[in-house]
Amino acid sequence: ADHACTAALWQRALIHIIRDEDALAQADLASIIRVHRSFKAYRLRAALFQHHKNYHAAIIQLDLALICYDGDSETFYARANAHSALGDSVLAGQDLEKAVQMDPRGADLLKSIAESEFQKGHVKSAIRHFSVVIKCVPRYAACYVARAVAYRTVGQHSEALRDLCQ
């Protein structure tokens, strides 16, 4: 009975979304979650919250989704996006690191975050982000150069030279 009820709630939630009735969809998704902690329901609730620019609520739903299943790079990308929208580049960068380790397609985005961190004077954070990108995409020459500049800034000249020789 629970399975049939959950399936019906899913269908109704999706119909509400199609009709732009997001509040009703949220209610159905919350009902699903009360019966069964559902990764998909948390992710969909987060997407609806992000759509309405309620990033704090989206992050909570994404946190809950990651408790259910922490192997989905798209969830980390979504949470990074929400953190970024709230101006928290440190948490955005941490989520992007995890996402890029699972799926290197976001390497350019993480490199951009690293460059931003460097510009703000958060050099160690920038080096860490550049390092994750390089680990996931070893032939990313521009990242080696950027990390070399960051290393030089903190006086790590041998590491800077090593990166420039890549």
Side-chain angles (χ1 to χ4, degrees):
D2 280 348
H3 180 69
C5 179
T6 301
L9 285 170
W10 264 111
Q11 288 177 351
R12 193 169 72 182
L14 295 175
I15 289 169
H16 288 312
I17 290 170
I18 291 168
R19 293 180 178 165
D20 254 351
E21 300 168 340
D22 292 351
L24 294 172
Q26 286 283 21
D28 285 342
L29 292 168
S31 295
I32 291 168
I33 290 167
R34 278 193 294 276
V35 174
H36 171 69
R37 286 184 22 194
S38 167
F39 169 80
K40 288 185 346 182
Y42 288 126
R43 283 287 283 127
L44 191 49
R45 289 192 83 202
L48 290 170
F49 283 128
Q50 281 186 298
H51 175 73
H52 293 285
K53 298 183 179 1
N54 186 346
Y55 299 110
H56 291 289
I59 290 168
I60 291 168
Q61 295 304 305
L62 293 165
D63 289 344
L64 292 168
L66 288 167
I67 289 169
C68 294
Y69 176 63
D70 68 354
D72 182 58
S73 65
E74 294 300 320
T75 303
F76 284 106
Y77 282 122
R79 193 169 69 177
N81 183 13
H83 283 303
S84 181
L86 292 173
D88 192 337
S89 61
V90 173
L91 290 177
Q94 290 171 358
D95 280 342
L96 281 172
E97 282 184 12
K98 293 172 187 166
V100 168
Q101 289 170 350
M102 291 179 211
D103 179 2
R105 290 179 292 172
D108 290 333
L109 185 55
L110 182 55
K111 180 180 173 285
S112 296
I113 293 281
E115 290 166 341
S116 173
E117 288 291 288
F118 179 78
Q119 294 299 323
K120 293 176 183 175
H122 304 141
V123 181
K124 289 182 181 183
S125 175
I127 290 170
R128 189 180 74 240
H129 295 328
F130 287 132
S131 297
V132 169
V133 173
I134 289 167
K135 181 179 176 188
C136 296
V137 186
R139 298 189 191 277
Y140 202 153
C143 234
Y144 281 102
V145 172
R147 187 172 71 175
V149 171
Y151 276 140
R152 190 188 73 198
T153 301
V154 293
Q156 293 179 269
H157 299 290
S158 60
E159 290 85 351
L161 183 59
R162 184 190 68 226
D163 275 0
L164 290 174
C165 292
Q166 292 296 323

